[in-house]
Amino acid sequence: MRQQYSNMNTVDIKTLKNELLFTHSVEDNTILKTLEKAVLHKVNLKDADLRDADLRDADLTGAKYTKQQIDSAITDETTIF
């Protein structure tokens, strides 16, 4: 019997106080995929710790966030409306 390996992993979005805001598990998960899923679920990201998050190519249309959060993330190709 062949053993299958999964690249399923979980990414959590937490606040600066380490409180869980959103969690997402999917194959080959990234913070980008998790953030986009959180936006689709209308999660309020205003308290999310996004420091050092690579948000290039992120579509955060409709996201609730602060300017400071986005300024502290890498955002060369981020779509924000």
Side-chain angles (χ1 to χ4, degrees):
M1 178 171 17
R2 222 178 191 181
Q3 189 173 13
Q4 291 184 320
Y5 294 95
S6 173
N7 290 330
M8 183 79 69
N9 59 336
T10 300
V11 174
D12 296 331
I13 300 173
K14 295 184 177 185
T15 68
L16 290 170
K17 295 179 181 179
N18 206 34
E19 298 166 336
L20 184 64
L21 289 175
F22 187 77
T23 188
H24 180 59
S25 296
V26 69
E27 191 169 314
D28 297 320
N29 202 6
T30 64
I31 187 63
L32 176 67
K33 289 179 183 179
T34 301
L35 277 169
E36 288 180 341
K37 184 63 80 168
V39 170
L40 287 174
H41 286 273
K42 301 190 184 301
V43 173
N44 185 339
L45 298 172
K46 288 183 180 176
D47 294 325
D49 181 0
L50 300 178
R51 291 176 295 171
D52 302 321
D54 185 347
L55 301 181
R56 287 178 285 193
D57 300 322
D59 182 359
L60 301 179
T61 304
K64 297 176 183 177
Y65 58 86
T66 66
K67 182 181 182 320
Q68 181 180 1
Q69 287 171 298
I70 300 304
D71 287 347
S72 68
I74 300 168
T75 58
D76 291 345
E77 300 293 329
T78 305
T79 302
I80 302 172
F81 292 98

